[in-house]
Amino acid sequence: MSVHSQSRVLAQSKTRTHIRYYILLIIFLITAVNYADRATLSIAGTEVARELGLDAADMGQIFAAFGWAYLIMQLPGGWLLDRFGSKKVYSYSLFFWSLFTLLQGFVGWFPLAYGALTLFMLRFMLGFSEAPSFPANARIVAAWFPTKERGTASAIFNSAQYFSLALFSPLLGWLTYAWGWEHVFIVMGVLGFVLTLVWIKFIHNPPEHPGISKSELEFLKDGGAVVDIDHKKTDGTQGGPKWSYVRQMLSNRMMLGIFFGQYFINSITWFFLTWFPIYLVQEKGMSILKVGMIAAIPALCGFAGGVLGGVFSDYLLKRGFSLTVARKIPIVLGMLLATSIILCNYTDNNALVVTLMALAFFGKGFGALGWPVIADTAPKEVIGLCGGIFNVFGNVASIVTPLVIGYIVKGLHSFNMALIFVGCSALMAMLCYLLVVGEIKRLELKKS
């Protein structure tokens, strides 16, 4: 090694880098596209339904196709992450979900009798491919961020879902209006392929990252980051986590409270991801172009709430509050605000409706700290698998919410009961954390 190279390495070891923030930025951008790909059908849904001759119940079933596959693949996805590591599994996941998004743009090429079935299958495969994404995000944050920064980091990647709706709803609405609904899927699929290349090039585990300094790596280790999360196992668990670990997590009261709480929080998310634009078109008489713009307002508020919830939680932690108090206060306050969605049933003023939706989505974002809590509580041996179980519970809502709302709207010809359903979900999430979870701490597994 030359003198110049030695001096450069020495300087880098003494200067703390901030590579973890670049890693977080990439996760944020990919998660935004992840959620945009889920929401493509909600934006293009009115036009797709018209062309394929689908009613509200049919659309509910197609929306739910994503959820079925996403749910089925959570445990296998978590096992794959713990077995092969975040980078490799996420690379394949991102490539294939982009492919199945792209293919949805060609559903109109099929005979009308097969169009609905083809769309159902492509949405199913989209969910199948996206399944490892959020458990992988949780693993990467656990590896790259110390405990005192983890709430903010997790809240930032989780808030990408709101940023996604704010950024992509106007774009996708305009694409549907100007070019046709097919281009919504084609544009998002191509964007996903580009991000796959970015992911492969720039994402590494902390010890192997070429840009990280020795001081930053030590800072992560000393702060509780699980920097060796993807190192080869030597304790006999390399073949995959034992099922006794799953039983221990499912029999632990704290974990069950967190898991069920995520189901109720996700019920709010899936209303906004599936039926909200259709609600504005059918119930409030807005044009699809206007809906694309209007849908961005609650999404921006959700993004602000998502970031502020994590920042506020970490602020409480740094001020000396316990981890339990620091995580639960934002969740309770946020879920109370989210119940304001019910008030939309009592006004015909569209501006007030959008304001109430924005307040509800802000609250949902502020209180959506499930992923920071999982990063705090998941057993170190199986963070990916624990994230998978967490996502299984949470994404039951991706099946239940679209179906329930679809049948409510078809049966009652109104969204009123649907909004009550969503508001009550927020209350139940709050009660899970207040009455079930108890103290928030990392679960220690018993070795069998």
Side-chain angles (χ1 to χ4, degrees), residues 202-337:
F202 293 105
I203 294 295
H204 305 276
N205 296 319
E208 289 86 32
H209 198 288
I212 193 170
S213 66
K214 183 178 179 181
S215 61
E216 183 178 13
L217 187 59
E218 290 301 320
F219 172 75
L220 299 181
K221 290 179 180 177
D222 294 343
V226 192
V227 297
D228 57 351
I229 193 171
D230 282 338
H231 283 186
K232 296 292 184 183
K233 309 287 193 306
T234 58
D235 59 358
T237 64
Q238 191 172 346
K242 299 176 181 178
W243 283 105
S244 63
Y245 293 171
V246 176
R247 289 195 296 271
Q248 289 181 59
M249 287 185 279
L250 292 178
S251 61
N252 182 271
R253 175 175 171 170
M254 174 188 70
M255 300 307 299
L256 283 175
I258 295 167
F259 294 157
F260 279 106
Q262 187 67 3
Y263 163 76
F264 291 114
I265 291 173
N266 270 13
S267 295
I268 310 168
T269 301
W270 280 97
F271 167 74
F272 280 97
L273 281 178
T274 55
W275 285 106
F276 177 53
I278 298 173
Y279 164 77
L280 294 179
V281 172
Q282 294 184 0
E283 192 88 354
K284 300 304 175 184
M286 298 184 188
S287 69
I288 188 62
L289 185 61
K290 185 176 182 180
V291 164
M293 301 300 294
I294 293 297
I297 297 173
L300 283 171
C301 292
F303 172 69
V307 174
L308 290 174
V311 171
F312 180 59
S313 179
D314 282 352
Y315 169 78
L316 292 176
L317 202 57
K318 291 172 183 176
R319 290 296 300 265
F321 288 89
S322 69
L323 185 63
T324 301
V325 172
R327 298 299 190 232
K328 286 188 179 182
I329 286 179
I331 293 171
V332 171
L333 292 177
M335 292 304 105
L336 284 173
L337 284 176

Side-chain angles (χ1 to χ4, degrees), residues 34-44 123 164-165 172 273:
N34 178 298
Y35 264 88
D37 289 344
R38 301 182 194 193
T40 46
L41 188 59
S42 67
I43 296 294
R123 294 292 295 183
S164 172
L165 294 177
L172 300 183
L273 281 178

